[in-house]
Amino acid sequence: MHKDLQEILISREELEAGVKNLAGRISRDYEGRCLTVVGVLKGCVLFMSDLVKNVSVDTRLDFMMLSSYSGAHSTGVVRILLDLKESIEDCDVLIVEDIVDSGLTMEYMLQNLKTRRPRSLEVCTLLDKPSRRKTDIPIKYTGFTLEDKFVVGYGLDYNGLYRNLPYIGVLNKETIEGKKTCL
Ligand code: IMP
Ligand code: MG
């Protein structure tokens, strides 16, 4: 375990099994169709990579990067930093996210992508923290449901770090108080 963590919540093996399970469901649901997977950078990267390797239908990949002016409390004001490269009109679109917390980012994504008239639009999130939700959003595929804890690893960061850990863990108090960065 990384020295800055107090515990591992979801092990590498549990992640692998959970992601394969999601990929199996997605492969069955989209059988005979072509899937457009839209990853939300940067948190989606490790999850999306493992997920699509296990999806058996024809799949296109595209990405968006969003920033939310959150500060101390999330306002739900979201800005697009990087937009999709391709049109999604008439496509079966699956948004892939690392975690849905307040749901405000995903609400914005759904509203925005709907205006581009996809054939279908669904959400796949690795992690869900339902107790933190501020807006009701439809999530079709959820990997793991968590209680209200701040987690890192497998794409999720704290101050830009820990995304590369192959498991999901909880930071220890000293690390959070010390505000460690790479610089
Ligand atoms: P939402 O708009 O509140 O649902 O926020 C979603 C975004 O907040 C996620 O895409 C993450 O980038 C970030 N986030 C929320 N909870 C966590 C966490 O526990 N660890 C790391 N990032 C988180
Ligand atoms: Mg994110």
Side-chain angles (χ1 to χ4, degrees):
M1 179 171 82
H2 191 288
K3 61 175 174 30
D4 295 348
L5 297 189
Q6 61 174 14
E7 82 181 288
I8 292 178
L9 272 190
I10 311 173
S11 70
R12 200 177 181 142
E13 294 74 24
E14 287 170 320
L15 283 170
E16 196 184 321
V19 172
K20 280 197 174 144
N21 187 282
L22 286 175
R25 284 181 55 201
I26 292 165
S27 302
R28 284 191 292 279
D29 292 352
Y30 289 90
E31 202 181 336
R33 284 144 77 184
C34 176
L35 183 62
T36 300
V37 174
V38 171
V40 186
L41 293 170
K42 299 173 185 171
C44 72
V45 168
L46 279 78
F47 171 44
M48 182 168 166
S49 160
D50 288 340
L51 184 75
V52 298
K53 277 184 268 182
N54 290 286
V55 165
S56 58
V57 299
D58 288 344
T59 297
R60 302 193 304 162
L61 305 183
D62 212 336
F63 297 93
M64 286 181 82
M65 193 187 287
L66 305 170
S67 89
S68 51
Y69 296 108
S70 50
H73 34 103
S74 185
T75 56
V77 182
V78 179
R79 197 160 53 106
I80 296 180
L81 300 179
L82 176 79
D83 205 347
L84 299 178
K85 182 148 186 290
E86 315 286 347
S87 162
I88 54 166
E89 192 168 350
D90 294 328
C91 294
D92 289 307
V93 175
L94 181 65
I95 303 172
V96 171
E97 207 5 336
D98 52 358
I99 188 165
V100 177
D101 188 36
S102 70
L104 295 170
T105 307
M106 191 52 73
E107 181 177 54
Y108 175 85
M109 280 284 287
L110 285 167
Q111 278 174 1
N112 185 288
L113 295 189
K114 254 181 216 160
T115 65
R116 308 182 198 197
R117 299 198 281 160
R119 179 173 164 209
S120 66
L121 181 61
E122 301 290 354
V123 176
C124 175
T125 185
L126 176 70
L127 306 175
D128 184 12
K129 283 194 220 169
S131 63
R132 300 254 309 165
R133 203 72 92 247
K134 288 188 182 153
T135 176
D136 195 26
I137 49 152
I139 304 180
K140 183 142 186 204
Y141 305 98
T142 302
F144 301 86
T145 302
L146 299 182
E147 48 185 301
D148 183 11
K149 273 186 183 165
F150 189 84
V151 294
V152 296
Y154 201 61
L156 292 114
D157 74 305
Y158 175 66
N159 283 344
L161 292 176
Y162 311 108
R163 291 192 200 273
N164 59 313
L165 302 182
Y167 42 74
I168 302 279
V170 181
L171 290 174
N172 57 35
K173 267 214 185 80
E174 302 81 74
T175 304
I176 293 170
E177 283 158 9
K179 294 219 165 66
K180 179 175 161 181
T181 65
C182 249
L183 305 171

